Amino acid sequence: MVRTRFAPSPTGYLHIGGARTALFCWAYAKKHGGTFILRVEDTDVERSTEQSVKAILDAMDWLGLNCDEGPFFQMERLDRYKAVAQQLLDSGHAYHCYCSKEELEAMREAQRARGEKPRYDGRWRDSKETPPAGVTPVLRFKTPLTGDVTWDDQVKGPITVANQELDDLVIVRGDGVPTYNFGVVVDDIDMNITHVIRGDDHGNNTPRQINMYKALGATLPKFAHVPMILGGDGERLSKRHGAVSVMQYRDDGYLPEALLNYLARLGWSHGDAEKFSREELVEWFDLAHISKSPARFNGEKLAWLNQQYIKEADFKRLAELTEPFLIADGCKVADGPPLASVVALLKDRANTVRELADAAVIFYRSLEPSAALREQHYSAAIKPALADLHERLKVIGWNRPAINDAIKSVVAAHGLKMPKLAMPLRVMVTGESQTPSIDATLELIGHDRVLERMEAQLKHFPG
């Protein structure tokens, strides 16, 4: 039975890199009929917050990456870590270290001065000295002094690290709270994790953790280290590239299925497939096709993909997603045309739900044209034709064909080309120079509102 886990630290929001890791863990478990576990690694007591926990859980819920077990919290398992630490101590695989912070810093400074890699020198490893009074020790793991650690990484292939490159890491702090590497190993053993899929920034931790697995006589999981995500310029992904909270993408009007689809393609592929469903991802996903090279985040590609999903989305669902944006923009949606109808007219032109809402504003409140648009499109020559149209629109049945006929009749009567009338009409009624077809737009805005807006704007025409 495949068992994977996503184990975020609640010291901030869930970002793009973390969401992709969660997706890969989820998809691999689902592909193999396994179990996906959510574990919150909250042992960084000073930086972990309830707000961050909520942000992570909300993001996972929005993305639809529902766990089969959990969430589990490490700070609720302190007794278990204490018991395993004692087991390592009793078996000779761990020891107490009484070094102060000042001693450790002096040690590192001396090593740097000699051109050596700063590391703990093992001075308490086999010490027979009497422990200093009043000092609370940490517990360190006894890393083997010789030999190598080798594992067959499911993404990167065989990796070997010499134990001489590793020092004796702290596994339990003086306050009894486990450090990251120790807590991870205990949890993964207890939760029977079979596949550890995580970012390759954890690659340096893996040999240390493997040594602890061996010291505890536990079966090793398979490790898969996924290359990081870079910005389009090849630099480490940052906020300027789009490395913001997953929930920021929701607030900016992205659909969760579009973001998941895009994240799946960041470093993994199935042939040339660019757009695919969650079901297809589960069917196709494997570790063999995760790239060994860093992926590059492309905001334009994400926006394009989101647009494809918006085009296919259900009108009712899009309306529900669009309404909060309109309300925040001061629109009274209940006083205007059915939002689902507006969304149906506009959705092919929007990259995001926010853009959809911005385009829909014209149907729910009047937008005053800018001075530049008035100057460009309001002329004395066109005013009589628009006044004529205003009168004809008063008496027609309010539907798209009738509106279209009225516009065409005015164009013919005044010897105009369609754009000469349609452009100023569009600006008068919507305050914008670009909208869907003018007859469809007028139909949805409504008879009374169209006439009111035209009447108000005719006063701004010269002549």
Side-chain angles (χ1 to χ4, degrees), residues 363-374:
F363 296 94
Y364 299 98
R365 64 180 174 86
S366 179
L367 295 181
E368 196 65 24
S370 67
L373 281 178
R374 283 178 178 168

Side-chain angles (χ1 to χ4, degrees), residues 87-395:
Q87 180 183 337
L88 289 174
L89 195 59
D90 292 344
S91 64
H93 288 100
Y95 62 95
H96 288 118
C97 170
Y98 293 85
C99 288
S100 65
K101 290 182 179 179
E102 293 74 21
E103 284 180 286
L104 291 172
E105 186 52 42
M107 180 194 308
R108 296 188 187 104
E109 283 298 324
Q111 289 167 337
R112 291 189 190 99
R114 296 193 297 268
E116 300 172 359
K117 177 182 176 181
R119 53 189 288 165
Y120 178 66
D121 63 7
R123 62 184 58 180
W124 282 95
R125 181 181 176 109
D126 296 306
S127 177
K128 306 300 182 186
E129 291 184 34
T130 302
V135 176
T136 302
V138 298
L139 191 67
R140 288 185 181 271
F141 178 73
K142 264 190 180 179
T143 298
L145 298 175
T146 59
D148 299 322
V149 178
T150 298
W151 74 96
D152 186 12
D153 196 279
Q154 302 296 290
V155 173
K156 296 178 175 293
I159 297 176
T160 297
V161 177
N163 280 319
Q164 290 180 328
E165 295 295 317
L166 311 173
D167 60 0
D168 291 352
L169 73 157
V170 175
I171 57 175
V172 181
R173 304 181 184 96
D175 59 3
V177 177
T179 58
Y180 165 76
N181 280 296
F182 181 54
V184 163
V185 169
V186 176
D187 289 345
D188 286 348
I189 292 172
D190 287 355
M191 297 176 187
N192 299 310
I193 301 302
T194 61
H195 293 76
V196 174
I197 304 168
R198 58 189 178 189
D200 62 3
D201 53 331
H202 287 289
N204 290 336
N205 296 320
T206 303
R208 300 173 180 276
Q209 294 172 11
I210 288 175
N211 278 330
M212 280 189 268
Y213 272 95
K214 292 179 177 178
L216 291 167
T219 302
L220 288 176
K222 295 185 182 298
F223 292 95
H225 291 92
V226 182
M228 68 174 62
I229 303 171
L230 303 178
D233 55 5
E235 298 295 321
R236 189 179 181 89
L237 195 64
S238 64
K239 287 185 178 180
R240 66 189 173 89
H241 299 113
V244 295
S245 165
V246 164
M247 299 307 276
Q248 184 64 52
Y249 284 96
R250 180 201 64 178
D251 296 344
D252 287 343
Y254 287 83
L255 301 180
E257 59 267 35
L259 185 57
L260 279 182
N261 188 157
Y262 182 71
L263 289 177
R265 288 287 284 115
L266 276 179
W268 173 84
S269 62
H270 179 78
D272 296 326
E274 291 286 353
K275 183 174 178 294
F276 40 80
S277 66
R278 287 161 63 98
E279 292 74 23
E280 288 171 322
L281 171 61
V282 169
E283 179 185 348
W284 296 339
F285 189 78
D286 58 10
L287 300 178
H289 287 91
I290 294 177
S291 173
K292 294 179 172 61
S293 303
R296 294 205 179 196
F297 185 87
N298 185 326
E300 292 180 1
K301 186 70 172 289
L302 172 59
W304 173 83
L305 193 58
N306 198 59
Q307 183 186 51
Q308 308 313 304
Y309 277 96
I310 285 178
K311 286 179 179 179
E312 297 176 2
D314 176 74
F315 298 156
K316 184 171 183 287
R317 178 193 174 205
L318 276 183
E320 291 172 351
L321 293 172
T322 303
E323 185 170 7
F325 288 99
L326 287 168
I327 292 173
D329 203 9
C331 296
K332 294 183 178 179
V333 178
D335 294 344
L339 186 50
S341 299
V342 173
V343 163
L345 179 64
L346 299 174
K347 68 174 189 168
D348 286 356
R349 305 163 65 93
N351 286 336
T352 66
V353 177
R354 181 180 290 278
E355 287 184 10
L356 192 56
D358 289 344
V361 167
I362 61 172
F363 296 94
Y364 299 98
R365 64 180 174 86
S366 179
L367 295 181
E368 196 65 24
S370 67
L373 281 178
R374 283 178 178 168
E375 183 177 353
Q376 182 180 359
H377 297 289
Y378 288 12
S379 68
I382 198 65
K383 186 176 182 180
L386 288 165
D388 184 8
L389 178 63
H390 182 258
E391 293 304 311
R392 297 189 190 214
L393 291 177
K394 286 181 180 179
V395 296

Side-chain angles (χ1 to χ4, degrees), residues 3-141:
R3 291 174 63 85
T4 66
R5 49 69 164 180
F6 176 56
S9 176
T11 56
Y13 51 72
L14 181 64
H15 54 76
I16 287 296
R20 184 189 65 169
T21 298
L23 174 60
F24 284 2
C25 293
W26 175 88
Y28 192 77
K30 298 305 172 187
K31 164 68 180 258
H32 295 280
T35 302
F36 173 59
I37 297 161
L38 178 60
R39 185 173 74 222
V40 179
E41 298 186 339
D42 55 351
T43 56
D44 187 343
V45 179
E46 292 183 0
R47 297 172 60 220
S48 296
T49 66
E50 286 298 321
Q51 183 180 6
S52 294
V53 171
K54 184 178 185 306
I56 291 168
L57 296 182
D58 286 349
M60 294 287 285
D61 182 62
W62 180 68
L63 290 171
L65 299 179
N66 302 312
C67 60
D68 300 303
E69 295 180 13
F72 300 105
F73 294 85
Q74 288 187 320
M75 288 302 289
E76 297 175 359
R77 290 171 44 79
L78 294 183
D79 288 345
R80 175 58 179 157
Y81 304 129
K82 182 179 179 181
V84 178
Q86 187 62 50
Q87 180 183 337
L88 289 174
L89 195 59
D90 292 344
S91 64
H93 288 100
Y95 62 95
H96 288 118
C97 170
Y98 293 85
C99 288
S100 65
K101 290 182 179 179
E102 293 74 21
E103 284 180 286
L104 291 172
E105 186 52 42
M107 180 194 308
R108 296 188 187 104
E109 283 298 324
Q111 289 167 337
R112 291 189 190 99
R114 296 193 297 268
E116 300 172 359
K117 177 182 176 181
R119 53 189 288 165
Y120 178 66
D121 63 7
R123 62 184 58 180
W124 282 95
R125 181 181 176 109
D126 296 306
S127 177
K128 306 300 182 186
E129 291 184 34
T130 302
V135 176
T136 302
V138 298
L139 191 67
R140 288 185 181 271
F141 178 73

